[in-house]
Amino acid sequence: MQPPLDQPPVRADGKRKDPRGHWFMLATGLLLVAAMLVLNGYVTNVAGETQAVPLAVDNPSPDLERARRGGPVLNLTGGKPASARLPARTVALTFDDGPDPEWTPQVLDVLRRHDAKATFFLVGSKVAQYPELARRIVSEGHEIGNHTYTHADLAAVPAWRLRLELSLTQRALAGATGLHTTLMRPPYSSTPNTITVPQWDSLRTAADQGYLVTLTDLDTKDWSHPGTDKIASAALPERGRGAIVMMHDAGGNRRQTVEALDRALRELTARDYRAVTVTDALGMPSAHQKAGDGEQFAGALFSFAQRTSGWFAIALSWVLFAAGALTLARLAFFAVLAMVHAHRTRGGRRRKGRAPDWPAPPPVTVIVPAYNEEAGIQATVRSLVTTSYPGVVEVLVVDDGSSDRTAELAAALGYRNVRVITKPNGGKPSALNVGIAQASHEILIMVDGDTVFEPATIGHLVRQLADPAIGAVSGNTKVGNRRGMIGRWQHIEYVIGFNLDRRAFELLDCMATVPGAIGAFRRSALVALGGVSTDTLAEDTDLTMALCRAGWRVVYEEKALAWTEAPTTLGQLWKQRYRWCYGTLQAMWKHRGALVERAPFGRRCLGYLTMFQVVLPLLAPVVDLMAAYSTAVGDPLPVVAVWAGFVAVQAMTGWYALRLDGERVSALWVLPLQQFVYRQLMYLVVIQSVATALLGVRLRWHTINRQGTFNSSGTSVGELSVPASR
């Protein structure tokens, strides 16, 4: 992935174009995945196989009465049904439900040893799965018949489904063997006298498709595993009569069937019977008809699609299982690390060998980069000036070419320790670099123009920098405007997804981001890096990674509270997260060399970001699609149970995170709702960002419309403070 530094495509009016084609590709991909899931579900009987319908009130027609008294082979294509029986001392052994990779070869081996021929009524989906077995059946001189595609009870499905079942099976046979068949046996059938009224109607519909319906004289009921002796006995006609014998070569353990077949064939040979195919027994032309080249190609293609869908479903299931396991493991692992972090920091022991506190409060420069922040700039500056920090505090408001009254309002406050610097618009990194260059002190604190500090925040940030190994400190950012649903969702995300993670990142020495809203730095460290880079849109992530790679430790200070104004609409939230995600991708690519460095930072940080902020979000649409599909075609309870389990684990983690931050745990009521709309918005942002990066489009800086939460509402910082539960 090249760093997307080229100019974006533009429209005729000169405005920038966002990439759009990937949404079509995403929709196409999801449709393809859905099609494969539906096909696999149909084949594996999730949405395919029906069960035998209960017997209805019997009110047979004269034709049905005649068929019940007739033979097992029915011709229903004429005006009146006709049937046929096999001649004396002739058996047509028939096998249903195959082919099966374990039992069909054993049945064929027994038939070959006895030089017997049989008729196999094949399930189309299994033919597509095991085409080599269908070809072996034909090559060894046996006959094939149609047993539907998914073993559906034809009496329980509409006419269109019946025709589809038979047609798909013919396609599978054509693709595997190059043949069609004129024989058909419906699942859940037996002897003619057991035909029900619904079954009769389905047989007439099948006959309209040109099939010769083949029932049975002797049903061995081997599917019930009655024992080898009973199966063999049930397969033997009495008094020299001819018979069609029904057995099964699939659908379960068929060891008894294979043994009974061998025994029955020895006995039939001793009784001077011949074992032949159905059509051979009746002296009819073969049921096999050559399929056209187009039908063979279509059948082979459909069979390949079925096998591919099966492999895809299995692979996807394992991928999603792994993704779920990783997600749960991450939540548990990070919760444990957060617990360790809290124990260490609250016990006053961040790490062994920690340097003593500052002998005297060092002077601090606070840099506020601001662009069109008139709605909140005065609240931000007031919170910085009214700090309880005992040392010298210099505040630099760097107005980055604002088109509103940002600079005027900041200067109007009249604070002596506040200096307003104006410059042409050049972006936030440029404004920060101006502030760094004009800062008077070594300790720098950076704060966004829409953020307010608690009075003690500066002191907590500076305290950590007493350790000479620490180059930067991340503060605890909180959502100030959390009253609406979007604000509540972001509040939960900030506490669980950001602040809890930073506790773990500190212990793992892989801090990815010191947020632009609140962070403290050593000026000498930043100068050594050449200042804040303008290479990415996530200058805070880029800077943090650079500091870590330079050997500095970056830590998290939970008591350094900053209240920020979060986006209030989905559109504004999209713009903000799109910039964040895209900038993070840029920073990851820029610092990819850290992967091969001796220090573990690159492997831990970039590995984590790749897995949990790129790969898993890209899989999220498929997760939602599978959940919707499973709910629609199957029992929704497992889907609901899995979803509820994940939410419960998130809720437990969230409860602990809120307790650590001293927040009210009642905020968790919005967590289940966060799985809808908000979660989808977040993974769509990742998809858009990845597409933008891969297409080499340079994303512009997206500005957020501020509402002036801390100015217009009259809310004070003290009123925003969380309850002290620590």
Side-chain angles (χ1 to χ4, degrees):
M1 182 175 66
Q2 292 292 331
L5 301 177
D6 48 323
Q7 292 300 316
V10 295
R11 301 193 302 250
D13 59 6
K15 293 184 178 180
R16 172 190 164 277
K17 288 182 180 178
D18 275 333
R20 288 289 181 263
H22 63 288
W23 293 121
F24 173 77
M25 295 176 63
L26 174 64
T28 302
L30 289 178
L31 286 174
L32 181 60
V33 170
M36 297 180 77
L37 290 175
V38 170
L39 176 58
N40 184 69
Y42 184 78
V43 167
T44 56
N45 303 322
V46 173
E49 182 174 4
T50 61
Q51 300 299 321
V53 295
L55 294 177
V57 177
D58 197 27
N59 186 21
S61 65
D63 286 345
L64 174 54
E65 288 281 17
R66 189 178 300 110
R68 285 176 174 175
R69 296 191 298 268
V73 182
L74 302 176
N75 184 350
L76 308 180
T77 58
K80 291 185 178 181
S83 64
R85 298 181 186 276
L86 269 60
R89 300 206 177 274
T90 303
V91 294
L93 298 171
T94 63
F95 297 89
D96 291 3
D97 299 353
D100 181 272
E102 181 176 2
W103 302 110
T104 300
Q106 296 185 43
V107 168
L108 289 171
D109 290 343
V110 173
L111 292 171
R112 183 170 53 191
R113 286 200 302 269
H114 292 275
D115 196 24
K117 304 302 178 185
T119 301
F120 290 79
F121 289 95
L122 304 178
V123 174
S125 61
K126 294 183 178 180
V127 172
Q129 190 68 29
Y130 309 109
E132 69 284 353
L133 291 178
R135 287 192 288 269
R136 179 182 171 184
I137 290 171
V138 173
S139 67
E140 294 186 5
H142 304 291
E143 195 167 47
I144 55 176
N146 193 325
H147 200 49
T148 74
Y149 198 78
T150 63
H151 202 267
D153 183 1
L154 299 183
V157 300
W160 68 265
R161 169 76 183 279
L162 183 152
R163 290 189 289 269
L164 178 65
E165 289 280 332
L166 299 178
S167 174
L168 289 178
T169 303
Q170 292 283 32
R171 289 183 182 275
L173 291 173
T177 67
L179 300 172
H180 284 163
T181 181
T182 58
L183 295 182
M184 187 276 284
R185 172 177 286 168
Y188 308 107
S189 64
S190 183
T191 56
N193 62 351
T194 64
I195 301 174
T196 65
V197 173
Q199 285 177 336
W200 177 252
D201 293 337
S202 67
L203 296 183
R204 296 300 296 263
T205 303
D208 292 340
Q209 306 299 308
Y211 288 99
L212 192 65
V213 178
T214 307
L215 302 178
T216 188
D217 291 300
L218 301 176
D219 184 354
T220 63
K221 296 185 179 180
D222 58 339
W223 50 268
S224 64
H225 305 286
T228 300
D229 292 340
K230 289 186 177 181
I231 297 173
S233 177
L236 299 175
E238 296 179 351
R239 295 187 293 276
R241 294 174 180 170
I244 295 178
V245 181
M246 179 189 290
M247 306 176 86
H248 296 79
D249 63 328
N253 188 321
R254 296 294 174 235
R255 180 183 56 81
Q256 294 180 4
T257 300
V258 173
E259 294 173 352
L261 174 63
D262 184 66
R263 189 176 304 178
L265 281 171
R266 289 199 301 268
E267 182 65 25
L268 288 169
T269 301
R271 296 183 185 184
D272 200 25
Y273 269 80
R274 65 190 185 107
V276 294
T277 65
V278 170
T279 56
D280 193 12
L282 295 174
M284 297 172 56
S286 172
H288 297 165
Q289 298 178 348
K290 184 173 176 57
D293 293 341
E295 293 172 320
Q296 294 183 44
F297 176 77
L301 185 63
F302 186 79
S303 297
F304 175 76
Q306 176 191 308
R307 293 193 298 273
T308 302
S309 70
W311 300 330
F312 176 80
I314 293 173
L316 187 60
S317 297
W318 279 107
V319 168
L320 296 183
F321 173 80
L326 282 172
T327 301
L328 293 178
R330 170 195 166 275
L331 288 172
F333 183 54
F334 274 38
V336 171
L337 290 180
M339 185 183 304
V340 173
H341 180 273
H343 174 72
R344 289 186 178 183
T345 56
R346 295 175 186 181
R349 184 172 57 88
R350 181 171 295 276
R351 71 179 183 92
K352 293 181 179 179
R354 175 180 169 178
D357 290 337
W358 294 101
V364 175
T365 296
V366 182
I367 303 172
V368 186
Y371 175 75
N372 288 350
E373 297 285 2
E374 67 176 7
I377 191 62
Q378 289 192 331
T380 298
V381 173
R382 286 194 191 98
S383 73
L384 300 173
V385 172
T386 57
T387 178
S388 61
Y389 181 65
V392 174
V393 176
E394 174 190 47
V395 179
L396 302 182
V397 178
V398 184
D399 180 71
D400 188 41
S402 298
S403 59
D404 63 4
R405 301 168 59 227
T406 298
E408 176 186 342
L409 292 175
L413 293 172
Y415 294 120
R416 289 184 300 174
N417 60 334
V418 175
R419 184 154 49 104
V420 178
I421 304 169
T422 60
K423 61 178 288 292
N425 180 256
K428 184 178 178 181
S430 172
L432 289 172
N433 285 329
V434 169
I436 294 171
Q438 298 202 26
S440 304
H441 310 299
E442 168 67 5
I443 303 300
L444 304 180
I445 294 177
M446 299 179 186
V447 54
D448 285 342
D450 61 346
T451 303
V452 297
F453 275 14
E454 294 274 353
T457 294
I458 293 177
H460 290 307
L461 289 173
V462 172
R463 179 174 63 90
Q464 301 302 333
L465 290 170
D467 185 340
I470 294 176
V473 183
S474 169
N476 186 341
T477 312
K478 292 185 173 293
V479 175
N481 52 333
R482 59 177 74 167
R483 294 179 181 175
M485 184 59 68
I486 296 177
R488 289 187 173 95
W489 281 337
Q490 291 176 88
H491 165 50
I492 291 292
E493 182 185 25
Y494 271 62
V495 175
I496 302 176
F498 297 162
N499 293 335
L500 190 71
D501 286 2
R502 289 191 177 101
R503 299 174 189 270
F505 290 154
E506 178 187 327
L507 296 183
L508 296 173
D509 283 329
C510 63
M511 189 75 70
T513 306
V514 173
I518 174 173
F521 303 85
R522 294 186 187 276
R523 184 175 184 275
S524 57
L526 300 186
V527 171
L529 293 175
V532 181
S533 173
T534 59
D535 292 342
T536 74
L537 289 182
E539 82 293 329
D540 46 5
T541 299
D542 187 356
L543 181 61
T544 306
M545 290 183 177
L547 284 168
C548 291
R549 293 183 68 187
W552 292 100
R553 293 191 66 242
V554 180
V555 299
Y556 171 71
E557 175 51 65
E558 62 178 352
K559 295 180 181 179
L561 301 181
W563 299 87
T564 190
E565 181 178 325
T568 56
T569 67
L570 291 178
Q572 292 293 314
L573 181 62
W574 172 275
K575 289 182 178 181
Q576 182 194 66
R577 298 311 172 85
Y578 184 15
R579 176 176 62 81
W580 286 5
C581 183
Y582 179 82
T584 299
L585 291 176
Q586 289 178 307
M588 290 169 63
W589 179 255
K590 177 180 177 180
H591 294 282
R592 64 192 182 278
L595 290 170
V596 296
E597 293 174 350
R598 184 174 181 179
F601 166 77
R603 292 179 290 279
R604 293 176 182 176
C605 179
L606 298 184
Y608 174 86
L609 293 177
T610 300
M611 178 59 65
F612 292 101
Q613 294 194 22
V614 179
V615 175
L616 292 186
L618 291 178
L619 290 174
V622 180
V623 174
D624 286 354
L625 181 62
M626 285 198 70
Y629 167 74
S630 300
T631 302
V633 304
D635 183 2
L637 185 58
V639 177
V640 174
V642 171
W643 176 82
F646 269 96
V647 172
V649 173
Q650 286 181 315
M652 289 187 290
T653 306
W655 173 85
Y656 182 66
L658 290 167
R659 289 294 302 271
L660 280 181
D661 261 24
E663 294 279 1
R664 296 183 179 90
V665 296
S666 59
L668 286 174
W669 73 268
V670 301
L671 187 60
L673 300 177
Q674 197 179 40
Q675 307 304 308
F676 307 98
V677 181
Y678 191 82
R679 174 176 166 274
Q680 285 72 23
L681 182 72
M682 292 301 103
Y683 69 60
L684 289 176
V685 162
V686 175
I687 293 171
Q688 173 79 352
S689 300
V690 170
T692 303
L694 292 176
L695 293 173
V697 177
R698 174 75 172 182
L699 182 65
R700 63 177 178 175
W701 189 281
H702 286 154
T703 59
I704 306 299
N705 295 328
R706 304 301 182 189
Q707 305 298 314
T709 298
F710 309 112
N711 272 344
S712 59
S713 66
T715 305
S716 69
V717 175
E719 291 173 322
L720 287 170
S721 300
V722 297
S725 64
R726 291 186 286 272

